[in-house]
Amino acid sequence: MKVAVFSSKAYDRTFLGAANAMAGAKHELVFLDARLDCESAALAADAEAVCPFVNDRIDRAALIRLAGQSVRLVALRSAGFNNVDLATAQELGIAVAHVPAYSPHAVAEHSMALILALNRKIHRAYARVREGNFALEGLLGFDIRGRTFGIIGAGRIGMALARIVQGFGCTILAVDPVPVPELASLGGRYVALSDLLAMADIISLHCPLTPETKHIIDHDAIARMKPGVMLINTSRGAVVDTKAIIDGLKSGRIGQLGLDVYEEEGNLFFEDLSDQLIQDDVFARLLTFPNVLITGHQGFFTVEALSAIAEVTIANLTAFETHGRVIHAVPPQG
Ligand code: NAI
């Protein structure tokens, strides 16, 4: 099957190419730098499938254009599918597949890396020591042991993080409409969102972006948090209201902020913009805070995760070509 792989980088070529070769080179993968949207959809003119990533925009206009060509499958190489207009895809008879679980550990471990770095100010210490400044003022952290850790969205990634923080000796609170028994075996408990916000010293977001979770962290939620709380978002940018977060940082309500995702990241992340001026004033303001640590959507970026993403994506393509049905459909098929 001919597949137009959008937003592709060298690592996509490496991992998807290897997985395709392992599966007998069944598919013709055409790697494109462009992000998929209604304009660039024309690049998939003679492909049967497109393979987009997290910041491609597979909206109604893009889908209508793809359907008017020969595209019958959108095979996402991500877990999240908030960037696809699923109703239109269904209406047009375009199947949508994703990679539901490639390595929850990759994102959970990255969340923990942000927490540890922020708490002990590793980003500041690194720069200081290289300048010959060995003063400790401003680097004071706290023991994570004994702290209350709040997880919003205790699914695959949230539970992987719960297992990690159990090892740190934290009290674990979770908010999730779908409870799992394992949380209790880690000593954790489910609470209402308002209770988690009021009790947690560290809050980490791992819910998908849906109409219900959009801006779940807004001015009101921040006002309910403990003064000086650490907030971590590695899920999707729009789960938090970034302007409200900036107000929370300025007032000191939010003591430390770690982000791997950003509401308007589509204009920034995954590209080297180091010789350009950042035009996004909200993002630029975030960068001015010493107690904010931002990474550019790299939570998934481990060898294990990229291998799994590539293998599952190729398997989705092969199943669709062979049986007309993908393995991991969005929404899930019975
Ligand atoms: P998952 O589907 O296993 O878990 C999500 C959990 O959120 C589920 O248990 C669900 O019940 C819960 N949830 C849904 N609505 C909620 C609400 N209103 N409040 C609280 N919880 C709610 O998904 P997984 O694999 O754990 O991934 C979570 C998210 O992480 C993805 O949707 C994606 O946006 C993000 N992600 C980020 C990556 C990165 O590189 N930074 C990589 C992979 C995923």
Side-chain angles (χ1 to χ4, degrees), residues 299-313:
F300 72 101
F301 204 56
T302 67
V303 170
E304 290 78 4
L306 289 191
S307 302
I309 289 170
E311 281 163 27
V312 174
T313 301

Side-chain angles (χ1 to χ4, degrees), residues 64-150:
I64 288 172
R65 188 143 196 187
L66 291 171
Q69 300 165 179
S70 44
V71 171
R72 295 178 296 128
L73 170 65
V74 173
L76 292 159
R77 53 183 196 282
S78 63
F81 46 82
N82 52 285
N83 52 339
V84 185
D85 180 341
L86 294 176
T88 300
Q90 193 171 25
E91 177 191 322
L92 297 170
I94 295 181
V96 182
H98 72 145
V99 183
Y102 37 90
S103 172
H105 313 292
V107 187
E109 289 171 13
H110 189 70
S111 306
M112 201 64 212
L114 289 174
I115 291 163
L116 293 172
L118 271 170
N119 177 28
R120 307 305 294 266
K121 283 79 173 166
I122 302 298
H123 53 306
R124 299 183 68 193
Y126 174 78
R128 275 192 198 183
V129 169
R130 286 172 71 93
E131 293 292 325
N133 176 357
F134 306 104
L136 297 182
E137 282 82 2
L139 302 184
L140 192 64
F142 58 84
D143 282 11
I144 289 179
R145 184 180 177 81
R147 296 282 169 161
T148 300
F149 198 104

Side-chain angles (χ1 to χ4, degrees), residues 48-63:
E48 288 165 76
V50 291
C51 180
F53 196 47
V54 290
N55 290 328
D56 292 303
R57 196 178 311 149
I58 310 104
D59 56 13
R60 184 170 177 82
L63 286 163

Side-chain angles (χ1 to χ4, degrees), residues 193 269 294:
L193 179 61
F269 288 3
I294 305 176

Side-chain angles (χ1 to χ4, degrees), residues 79-80 82 100 102 107 152-158 175-178 206-210 212-213 216 234-236 260-261 297-300:
N82 52 285
Y102 37 90
V107 187
I152 300 177
R156 281 172 282 242
I157 294 169
V175 170
D176 197 305
V178 185
H206 302 287
C207 52
L209 176 60
T210 64
E212 291 75 42
T213 63
I216 197 170
T234 64
S235 62
R236 284 292 180 268
D260 188 47
V261 287
H297 207 141
Q298 67 175 80
F300 72 101

Side-chain angles (χ1 to χ4, degrees), residues 167-210:
F168 275 82
C170 294
T171 299
I172 305 169
L173 305 179
V175 170
D176 197 305
V178 185
V180 291
E182 190 195 346
L183 189 75
S185 70
L186 297 174
R189 64 194 164 96
Y190 290 98
V191 293
L193 179 61
S194 55
D195 291 336
L196 183 147
L197 296 173
M199 290 192 275
D201 299 297
I202 302 170
I203 298 175
S204 199
L205 290 154
H206 302 287
C207 52
L209 176 60
T210 64

